[in-house]
Amino acid sequence: KEAITVARGALREVREAVSGYRQPTLVTELHSARQILEAAGVVCQCEDIAGALPTATESVLAWAVREGVTNVIRHSHARHCAIRVARDADTVMVTVTDDGCGSTPRRRMDGMDGVGNGLRGLTERAEQQNGEVQAGPCATGGFRLRVALPVDDARIAAWSAAETGEP
């Protein structure tokens, strides 16, 4: 019963966000992901080692966490889920991996086999920032969603200075 209540709240939040009422933040989405997954009986492991990011980049990553967790809850029948946010020299990425069995693929849509509206919208958001989305089964079982976006340290430094009011 608790899982249904949490899921309904998450769905309401998704609808509000889609309607433009609020933009998700990465911290909020990671916190919500842990709560939602645990309420559904899925053990959740979160790691965020990406550091400060521009708002637009963070928003796409937050959407990725939201979409990934929604798919784990709705389709995977997973017992474990790992969410990792990390960056290297020029890329920041979020990866959502589960140990579930997935579900039957949806019909072919716009050349994207098995891709529903959530992944399509996430792909559009990522592509607006020259990023990419990979989603599919893992070789060892389960499913993995990975969203990668380019980052520029000079741009992040300028954004951070603007946010704090420093020259």
Side-chain angles (χ1 to χ4, degrees):
K1 188 170 184 169
E2 181 183 348
I4 292 171
T5 301
V6 171
R8 284 184 179 147
L11 181 59
R12 183 182 62 253
E13 289 177 8
V14 168
R15 287 180 179 144
E16 289 173 358
V18 168
S19 300
Y21 291 122
R22 70 179 187 100
Q23 289 297 312
T25 65
L26 193 52
V27 169
T28 301
E29 289 307 316
L30 289 170
H31 178 74
S32 294
R34 184 182 307 276
Q35 287 183 320
I36 290 167
L37 289 165
E38 289 177 358
V42 178
V43 176
C44 179
Q45 178 182 8
C46 288
E47 179 181 30
D48 181 2
I49 54 173
L53 297 167
T55 304
T57 301
E58 181 183 339
S59 179
V60 173
L61 297 178
W63 278 108
V65 169
R66 182 177 286 188
E67 177 61 21
V69 169
T70 298
N71 288 340
V72 170
I73 297 294
R74 293 180 75 194
H75 307 297
S76 76
H77 309 288
R79 292 190 317 239
H80 298 90
C81 178
I83 303 169
R84 185 168 196 266
V85 185
R87 65 181 280 204
D88 60 23
D90 59 355
T91 306
V92 62
M93 66 203 80
V94 63
T95 307
V96 179
T97 309
D98 69 59
D99 66 351
C101 60
S103 66
T104 306
R106 296 176 187 225
R107 63 182 165 77
R108 184 178 175 96
M109 296 181 192
D110 297 332
M112 299 174 77
D113 285 325
V115 175
N117 289 327
L119 286 176
R120 183 179 295 116
L122 180 58
T123 300
E124 290 169 1
R125 284 183 175 92
E127 288 175 350
Q128 287 174 352
Q129 293 194 33
N130 299 314
E132 68 177 19
V133 174
Q134 297 173 345
C138 300
T140 57
F143 192 86
R144 181 182 77 151
L145 169 65
R146 180 179 177 271
V147 176
L149 302 172
V151 292
D152 176 357
D153 284 331
R155 188 171 149 230
I156 289 174
W159 168 81
S160 183
E163 289 288 306
T164 61
E166 296 178 14

